Amino acid sequence: MTLLPHHRIDADVAVIGAGFSGALAAIALSARGQRVVLIERGRHPRFAIGESTTPLTNLLLEEFATKYELPQLSSFSKWGTWQRDHADIACGLKRGFTFLFHRPGEVFADTASHDRQLLVAASPHDHVADTHWYRPEFDQALVEEATRAGAIYIDETAIAEVRYEAGRMRLEGGRHGRSVVIDAGFVIDAGGARGLMSSTLGGGSAPLRWLPPTQGLYSHFTDVAEWASVAPTDGTPPYPPDAAALHHVFPGGWIWMLRFNNGITSAGAALTDAVAAEIGASDGEPAWNRLLERLPSVREQFRDARPTLPFIHAPRVAYRSRQVAGPGWAMLPSAAGVIDPLLSTGFPLTLLGLMRLLNILESSSPGAARNAALADYTNHTQDELDITEQLVAALYANMDTPAIFTRLSLLYFAAASFSEAARRLGRPHLAPGFLLHAHPRFGDELRACAREATKRPTGDARQDLFHRIDRAIIPFDVAGFADRSRQNWYPALASDLLSNAAKLDASTEEAQALLAKCGFIA
């Protein structure tokens, strides 16, 4: 749009940040007749971190598309329909989560029982698989959808000041040397960590409660070798290990790898401060090469790889805001807190928060009732960030101990698969809170197991922890995670859901109908 030397925009809602969540907020609100202005500091297409989805992410995207009558968005929820309807927008195939555990200085070596692996399938075949979002193209496509829905979009705009005046929000900033003033009834901050509302009305950052400080180092690459060519695996894994969010785990950190169908691989490391200091993480590409020197098999995988953009060093990955919402404004979870990409929790947390916040805006008017609802929204957001931080912190404490790391991870996968099945069956009340944190049994056990795992138990204490994890999982296990004979390889099997349907208050026939509806059978 063309801006005059002094431009004023009046809107019902101003959305800060035109990433995927800000664009979705603008699409939904515009579809319901609201006048929305979507504000982007940068310009699309642009690089963004946070790229890997989960089954719950895609289910929430389906629910969002259904609620707001946006069928054009629902096909983004599966690999097969994405390729059918949006082949021009790059993405990656994600069949599951792959964890490979490395000892520094040693070539990767596994055992017959896969003691140094964890493969958890999220789908039985490619058509219904999850995806990695190639954010330069996906975010831009959603912004274009927002403008078609009627949102006002302004990019390359820096907002410098936010004020709450007489029941309205006033945002002041500039674009290309010209002033911009936006008057809005409500502001949604979808701008990511350490964003505008945190630095103005949100009180700044809050200390982490459990997670150690971590740093990030990442880029996009071409010509990254397949893991199977570096370390062939005995037997038939539940899916190709690279068709996943692939995690190379080592003491003090881990490397992610996400392959897109345009020849690009997203890769980067999340590192404790100690490891980051040892490799000089702020040096960028030389630091990356020093890290690979410690991991011979990963170095081999990247032997011919070339970065497609300069390395980005993030001196702090994790972040929590002191406040989440206030009169006339609220942060989406992605702005209120970033924990770690280890379990791909950012997308589902943000979509859960987005749908809660949109419901508040639709069902309340400014005043006491809305403020009370925003206080509840704050509590929900902080509680879900808390449980995520506590679990991820316990995993960081055991990155050199695959036995504890893998067993503890199963709490996450059990909660996620149970929650997805419960929602698909129309029984979301069975799965209260992200990772079942609000469930009267599972939530307390998850927190207790994370506390015990952080102590890095050995001997009998470790076995006691394993038994406690198993006891916590079994009542909610609909995917075979309590079956030790699977030896850290967990395929997606229809028989698991069918044999555990009663845990979801469902009959075998209901479970069969669900599997058919979801396309579980190719």
Side-chain angles (χ1 to χ4, degrees), residues 329-343:
W329 65 274
M331 300 178 190
L332 292 184
S334 54
V338 173
I339 304 303
D340 195 90
L342 183 64
L343 297 175

Side-chain angles (χ1 to χ4, degrees), residues 48 50-54 57-58 76-79 82-83 89-98 129-139 220 239-247 256-262 264-266 344 347:
E51 299 154 318
S52 194
T53 68
T54 65
T57 301
N58 291 307
F76 284 118
S77 65
K78 298 181 182 67
W79 166 265
W82 187 315
Q83 298 312 296
I89 301 172
C91 71
L93 173 64
K94 182 178 181 180
R95 288 286 308 280
F97 286 78
T98 299
D130 300 322
T131 55
H132 310 307
W133 293 344
Y134 185 63
R135 297 285 299 278
E137 294 181 8
F138 183 60
D139 288 5
H220 279 173
Y239 55 85
D242 282 86
L246 193 157
H247 306 64
W256 70 81
M257 285 182 48
L258 311 171
R259 293 181 181 273
F260 301 109
N261 61 355
N262 58 0
I264 290 175
T265 296
S266 174
S344 300
F347 285 170

Side-chain angles (χ1 to χ4, degrees), residues 178-191:
R178 299 169 179 172
S179 64
V180 176
V181 178
I182 297 169
D183 184 73
F186 197 86
V187 172
I188 296 175
D189 187 347

